[in-house]
mmCIF file of all heavy atoms in Angstrom:
data_model
loop_
_atom_site.group_PDB
_atom_site.id
_atom_site.type_symbol
_atom_site.label_atom_id
_atom_site.label_comp_id
_atom_site.label_asym_id
_atom_site.label_seq_id
_atom_site.Cartn_x
_atom_site.Cartn_y
_atom_site.Cartn_z
ATOM 1 N N LEU A 1355 0.816 -1.213 0.000
ATOM 2 C CA LEU A 1355 0.000 0.000 0.000
ATOM 3 C C LEU A 1355 0.845 1.256 0.000
ATOM 4 O O LEU A 1355 0.504 2.245 -0.653
ATOM 5 C CB LEU A 1355 -0.901 0.041 1.254
ATOM 6 C CG LEU A 1355 -2.176 -0.779 1.265
ATOM 7 C CD1 LEU A 1355 -1.860 -2.211 1.657
ATOM 8 C CD2 LEU A 1355 -3.178 -0.198 2.241
ATOM 9 N N ASN A 1356 1.950 1.213 0.752
ATOM 10 C CA ASN A 1356 2.754 2.422 0.881
ATOM 11 C C ASN A 1356 3.638 2.688 -0.339
ATOM 12 O O ASN A 1356 4.364 3.673 -0.362
ATOM 13 C CB ASN A 1356 3.603 2.389 2.159
ATOM 14 C CG ASN A 1356 4.377 1.094 2.323
ATOM 15 O OD1 ASN A 1356 4.548 0.331 1.363
ATOM 16 N ND2 ASN A 1356 4.844 0.842 3.530
ATOM 17 N N HIS A 1357 3.570 1.821 -1.345
ATOM 18 C CA HIS A 1357 4.260 2.085 -2.610
ATOM 19 C C HIS A 1357 3.354 2.832 -3.586
ATOM 20 O O HIS A 1357 3.844 3.450 -4.535
ATOM 21 C CB HIS A 1357 4.715 0.784 -3.274
ATOM 22 C CG HIS A 1357 5.878 0.146 -2.594
ATOM 23 N ND1 HIS A 1357 6.614 -0.856 -3.183
ATOM 24 C CD2 HIS A 1357 6.440 0.351 -1.381
ATOM 25 C CE1 HIS A 1357 7.568 -1.247 -2.354
ATOM 26 N NE2 HIS A 1357 7.476 -0.526 -1.259
ATOM 27 N N ILE A 1358 2.053 2.723 -3.409
ATOM 28 C CA ILE A 1358 1.101 3.313 -4.360
ATOM 29 C C ILE A 1358 0.147 4.263 -3.649
ATOM 30 O O ILE A 1358 -1.018 4.393 -4.046
ATOM 31 C CB ILE A 1358 0.320 2.212 -5.116
ATOM 32 C CG1 ILE A 1358 -0.357 1.243 -4.135
ATOM 33 C CG2 ILE A 1358 1.229 1.456 -6.073
ATOM 34 C CD1 ILE A 1358 -1.329 0.275 -4.813
ATOM 35 N N SER A 1359 0.636 4.920 -2.609
ATOM 36 C CA SER A 1359 -0.204 5.870 -1.875
ATOM 37 C C SER A 1359 -0.789 6.911 -2.822
ATOM 38 O O SER A 1359 -0.086 7.453 -3.675
ATOM 39 C CB SER A 1359 0.618 6.556 -0.793
ATOM 40 O OG SER A 1359 1.005 5.641 0.203
ATOM 41 N N GLY A 1360 -2.077 7.164 -2.667
ATOM 42 C CA GLY A 1360 -2.760 8.152 -3.484
ATOM 43 C C GLY A 1360 -3.476 7.593 -4.688
ATOM 44 O O GLY A 1360 -4.374 8.243 -5.244
ATOM 45 N N LEU A 1361 -3.138 6.364 -5.112
ATOM 46 C CA LEU A 1361 -3.769 5.787 -6.300
ATOM 47 C C LEU A 1361 -5.264 5.553 -6.079
ATOM 48 O O LEU A 1361 -6.096 5.933 -6.914
ATOM 49 C CB LEU A 1361 -3.076 4.479 -6.684
ATOM 50 C CG LEU A 1361 -3.711 3.705 -7.856
ATOM 51 C CD1 LEU A 1361 -3.686 4.532 -9.131
ATOM 52 C CD2 LEU A 1361 -2.992 2.365 -8.069
ATOM 53 N N ALA A 1362 -5.619 4.941 -4.959
ATOM 54 C CA ALA A 1362 -7.032 4.655 -4.701
ATOM 55 C C ALA A 1362 -7.837 5.948 -4.592
ATOM 56 O O ALA A 1362 -8.952 6.058 -5.142
ATOM 57 C CB ALA A 1362 -7.172 3.826 -3.421
ATOM 58 N N GLN A 1363 -7.288 6.944 -3.884
ATOM 59 C CA GLN A 1363 -7.982 8.216 -3.749
ATOM 60 C C GLN A 1363 -8.175 8.887 -5.103
ATOM 61 O O GLN A 1363 -9.227 9.461 -5.401
ATOM 62 C CB GLN A 1363 -7.186 9.131 -2.817
ATOM 63 C CG GLN A 1363 -7.862 10.467 -2.541
ATOM 64 C CD GLN A 1363 -9.160 10.295 -1.785
ATOM 65 O OE1 GLN A 1363 -9.218 9.556 -0.803
ATOM 66 N NE2 GLN A 1363 -10.210 10.956 -2.253
ATOM 67 N N HIS A 1364 -7.169 8.790 -5.959
ATOM 68 C CA HIS A 1364 -7.254 9.356 -7.302
ATOM 69 C C HIS A 1364 -8.392 8.715 -8.097
ATOM 70 O O HIS A 1364 -9.177 9.417 -8.757
ATOM 71 C CB HIS A 1364 -5.921 9.142 -8.026
ATOM 72 C CG HIS A 1364 -5.928 9.569 -9.450
ATOM 73 N ND1 HIS A 1364 -5.774 10.884 -9.848
ATOM 74 C CD2 HIS A 1364 -6.090 8.849 -10.608
ATOM 75 C CE1 HIS A 1364 -5.839 10.968 -11.171
ATOM 76 N NE2 HIS A 1364 -6.022 9.745 -11.646
ATOM 77 N N ILE A 1365 -8.504 7.396 -8.025
ATOM 78 C CA ILE A 1365 -9.532 6.682 -8.793
ATOM 79 C C ILE A 1365 -10.924 7.034 -8.296
ATOM 80 O O ILE A 1365 -11.839 7.313 -9.084
ATOM 81 C CB ILE A 1365 -9.298 5.165 -8.724
ATOM 82 C CG1 ILE A 1365 -7.980 4.800 -9.415
ATOM 83 C CG2 ILE A 1365 -10.463 4.397 -9.360
ATOM 84 C CD1 ILE A 1365 -7.537 3.371 -9.167
ATOM 85 N N THR A 1366 -11.116 7.025 -6.982
ATOM 86 C CA THR A 1366 -12.459 7.307 -6.450
ATOM 87 C C THR A 1366 -12.859 8.756 -6.704
ATOM 88 O O THR A 1366 -14.033 9.050 -6.976
ATOM 89 C CB THR A 1366 -12.531 6.998 -4.951
ATOM 90 O OG1 THR A 1366 -11.485 7.708 -4.263
ATOM 91 C CG2 THR A 1366 -12.357 5.514 -4.695
ATOM 92 N N THR A 1367 -11.898 9.668 -6.624
ATOM 93 C CA THR A 1367 -12.216 11.084 -6.822
ATOM 94 C C THR A 1367 -12.493 11.402 -8.289
ATOM 95 O O THR A 1367 -13.483 12.084 -8.618
ATOM 96 C CB THR A 1367 -11.057 11.971 -6.319
ATOM 97 O OG1 THR A 1367 -10.853 11.727 -4.924
ATOM 98 C CG2 THR A 1367 -11.368 13.445 -6.533
ATOM 99 N N LYS A 1368 -11.642 10.893 -9.178
ATOM 100 C CA LYS A 1368 -11.762 11.253 -10.595
ATOM 101 C C LYS A 1368 -12.834 10.451 -11.325
ATOM 102 O O LYS A 1368 -13.517 10.976 -12.211
ATOM 103 C CB LYS A 1368 -10.410 11.061 -11.283
ATOM 104 C CG LYS A 1368 -10.392 11.517 -12.740
ATOM 105 C CD LYS A 1368 -8.982 11.478 -13.317
ATOM 106 C CE LYS A 1368 -8.958 11.978 -14.761
ATOM 107 N NZ LYS A 1368 -7.578 11.994 -15.322
ATOM 108 N N TYR A 1369 -13.000 9.171 -10.934
ATOM 109 C CA TYR A 1369 -13.890 8.294 -11.702
ATOM 110 C C TYR A 1369 -15.107 7.816 -10.912
ATOM 111 O O TYR A 1369 -15.971 7.137 -11.473
ATOM 112 C CB TYR A 1369 -13.111 7.071 -12.210
ATOM 113 C CG TYR A 1369 -11.956 7.448 -13.105
ATOM 114 C CD1 TYR A 1369 -10.660 7.513 -12.600
ATOM 115 C CD2 TYR A 1369 -12.161 7.758 -14.448
ATOM 116 C CE1 TYR A 1369 -9.591 7.866 -13.416
ATOM 117 C CE2 TYR A 1369 -11.102 8.113 -15.270
ATOM 118 C CZ TYR A 1369 -9.818 8.168 -14.743
ATOM 119 O OH TYR A 1369 -8.765 8.533 -15.557
ATOM 120 N N ASN A 1370 -15.159 8.120 -9.641
ATOM 121 C CA ASN A 1370 -16.280 7.705 -8.804
ATOM 122 C C ASN A 1370 -16.498 6.190 -8.852
ATOM 123 O O ASN A 1370 -17.619 5.697 -8.922
ATOM 124 C CB ASN A 1370 -17.571 8.422 -9.212
ATOM 125 C CG ASN A 1370 -18.664 8.280 -8.158
ATOM 126 O OD1 ASN A 1370 -18.373 8.184 -6.964
ATOM 127 N ND2 ASN A 1370 -19.912 8.249 -8.606
ATOM 128 N N LYS A 1371 -15.375 5.463 -8.822
ATOM 129 C CA LYS A 1371 -15.443 3.999 -8.808
ATOM 130 C C LYS A 1371 -14.866 3.500 -7.485
ATOM 131 O O LYS A 1371 -13.862 4.043 -6.988
ATOM 132 C CB LYS A 1371 -14.634 3.404 -9.961
ATOM 133 C CG LYS A 1371 -15.170 3.768 -11.348
ATOM 134 C CD LYS A 1371 -14.321 3.132 -12.434
ATOM 135 C CE LYS A 1371 -14.733 3.629 -13.814
ATOM 136 N NZ LYS A 1371 -16.088 3.172 -14.192
ATOM 137 N N PRO A 1372 -15.454 2.476 -6.883
ATOM 138 C CA PRO A 1372 -14.906 1.931 -5.637
ATOM 139 C C PRO A 1372 -13.589 1.207 -5.876
ATOM 140 O O PRO A 1372 -13.392 0.578 -6.919
ATOM 141 C CB PRO A 1372 -15.996 0.966 -5.154
ATOM 142 C CG PRO A 1372 -16.705 0.545 -6.400
ATOM 143 C CD PRO A 1372 -16.661 1.740 -7.318
ATOM 144 N N VAL A 1373 -12.689 1.321 -4.913
ATOM 145 C CA VAL A 1373 -11.391 0.654 -4.983
ATOM 146 C C VAL A 1373 -11.227 -0.185 -3.723
ATOM 147 O O VAL A 1373 -11.329 0.326 -2.603
ATOM 148 C CB VAL A 1373 -10.233 1.672 -5.083
ATOM 149 C CG1 VAL A 1373 -8.900 0.942 -5.260
ATOM 150 C CG2 VAL A 1373 -10.464 2.645 -6.239
ATOM 151 N N PHE A 1374 -10.953 -1.472 -3.906
ATOM 152 C CA PHE A 1374 -10.843 -2.416 -2.798
ATOM 153 C C PHE A 1374 -9.414 -2.932 -2.700
ATOM 154 O O PHE A 1374 -8.718 -3.060 -3.709
ATOM 155 C CB PHE A 1374 -11.794 -3.602 -3.006
ATOM 156 C CG PHE A 1374 -13.241 -3.195 -3.134
ATOM 157 C CD1 PHE A 1374 -13.775 -2.845 -4.375
ATOM 158 C CD2 PHE A 1374 -14.056 -3.134 -2.021
ATOM 159 C CE1 PHE A 1374 -15.093 -2.455 -4.497
ATOM 160 C CE2 PHE A 1374 -15.378 -2.747 -2.130
ATOM 161 C CZ PHE A 1374 -15.901 -2.400 -3.371
ATOM 162 N N PHE A 1375 -9.007 -3.238 -1.469
ATOM 163 C CA PHE A 1375 -7.691 -3.829 -1.255
ATOM 164 C C PHE A 1375 -7.866 -5.200 -0.621
ATOM 165 O O PHE A 1375 -8.623 -5.344 0.344
ATOM 166 C CB PHE A 1375 -6.822 -2.962 -0.343
ATOM 167 C CG PHE A 1375 -5.390 -3.439 -0.263
ATOM 168 C CD1 PHE A 1375 -4.459 -3.049 -1.206
ATOM 169 C CD2 PHE A 1375 -4.977 -4.308 0.738
ATOM 170 C CE1 PHE A 1375 -3.148 -3.497 -1.160
ATOM 171 C CE2 PHE A 1375 -3.677 -4.768 0.799
ATOM 172 C CZ PHE A 1375 -2.765 -4.363 -0.152
ATOM 173 N N TYR A 1376 -7.165 -6.212 -1.172
ATOM 174 C CA TYR A 1376 -7.195 -7.566 -0.620
ATOM 175 C C TYR A 1376 -5.820 -7.881 -0.060
ATOM 176 O O TYR A 1376 -4.857 -8.026 -0.802
ATOM 177 C CB TYR A 1376 -7.597 -8.555 -1.714
ATOM 178 C CG TYR A 1376 -7.799 -9.989 -1.255
ATOM 179 C CD1 TYR A 1376 -7.778 -10.365 0.095
ATOM 180 C CD2 TYR A 1376 -8.031 -10.995 -2.185
ATOM 181 C CE1 TYR A 1376 -7.970 -11.671 0.493
ATOM 182 C CE2 TYR A 1376 -8.234 -12.312 -1.796
ATOM 183 C CZ TYR A 1376 -8.197 -12.642 -0.457
ATOM 184 O OH TYR A 1376 -8.387 -13.948 -0.062
ATOM 185 N N ASP A 1377 -5.745 -7.955 1.266
ATOM 186 C CA ASP A 1377 -4.506 -8.371 1.922
ATOM 187 C C ASP A 1377 -4.616 -9.864 2.207
ATOM 188 O O ASP A 1377 -5.371 -10.281 3.090
ATOM 189 C CB ASP A 1377 -4.293 -7.577 3.215
ATOM 190 C CG ASP A 1377 -2.923 -7.853 3.835
ATOM 191 O OD1 ASP A 1377 -2.296 -8.860 3.463
ATOM 192 O OD2 ASP A 1377 -2.498 -7.067 4.705
ATOM 193 N N GLY A 1378 -3.850 -10.649 1.483
ATOM 194 C CA GLY A 1378 -3.883 -12.095 1.644
ATOM 195 C C GLY A 1378 -2.835 -12.627 2.601
ATOM 196 O O GLY A 1378 -2.650 -13.849 2.695
ATOM 197 N N ASP A 1379 -2.159 -11.732 3.341
ATOM 198 C CA ASP A 1379 -1.085 -12.142 4.256
ATOM 199 C C ASP A 1379 -1.361 -11.793 5.710
ATOM 200 O O ASP A 1379 -0.451 -11.840 6.534
ATOM 201 C CB ASP A 1379 0.243 -11.495 3.838
ATOM 202 C CG ASP A 1379 0.787 -12.065 2.545
ATOM 203 O OD1 ASP A 1379 0.644 -13.286 2.342
ATOM 204 O OD2 ASP A 1379 1.342 -11.290 1.747
ATOM 205 N N VAL A 1380 -2.590 -11.438 6.040
ATOM 206 C CA VAL A 1380 -2.918 -11.114 7.431
ATOM 207 C C VAL A 1380 -2.882 -12.397 8.257
ATOM 208 O O VAL A 1380 -3.388 -13.431 7.820
ATOM 209 C CB VAL A 1380 -4.320 -10.467 7.495
ATOM 210 C CG1 VAL A 1380 -4.702 -10.163 8.941
ATOM 211 C CG2 VAL A 1380 -4.362 -9.186 6.653
ATOM 212 N N PRO A 1381 -2.291 -12.377 9.476
ATOM 213 C CA PRO A 1381 -1.780 -11.214 10.194
ATOM 214 C C PRO A 1381 -0.294 -10.939 9.992
ATOM 215 O O PRO A 1381 0.216 -9.964 10.524
ATOM 216 C CB PRO A 1381 -2.042 -11.588 11.656
ATOM 217 C CG PRO A 1381 -1.790 -13.062 11.670
ATOM 218 C CD PRO A 1381 -2.348 -13.580 10.357
ATOM 219 N N ALA A 1382 0.434 -11.791 9.264
ATOM 220 C CA ALA A 1382 1.883 -11.609 9.146
ATOM 221 C C ALA A 1382 2.240 -10.267 8.524
ATOM 222 O O ALA A 1382 3.306 -9.720 8.784
ATOM 223 C CB ALA A 1382 2.488 -12.745 8.326
#
C-alpha cells in the first residue's frame, strides 16, 4: 500500500469507482 499511496484516492475522486484492497497475508 505504501508504494502506491494516493492511487485509490485518485480513482475514487476522478472516476467515482470503488477501490478495494485484498490483503492475503494477514496477520503476518
Side-chain angles (χ1 to χ4, degrees):
L1355 280 83
N1356 49 17
H1357 287 194
I1358 54 170
S1359 293
L1361 175 61
Q1363 183 65 47
H1364 175 81
I1365 295 169
T1366 54
T1367 300
K1368 185 172 182 178
Y1369 300 99
N1370 194 31
K1371 296 180 187 293
V1373 184
F1374 302 87
F1375 188 85
Y1376 186 7
D1377 187 343
D1379 290 322
V1380 178

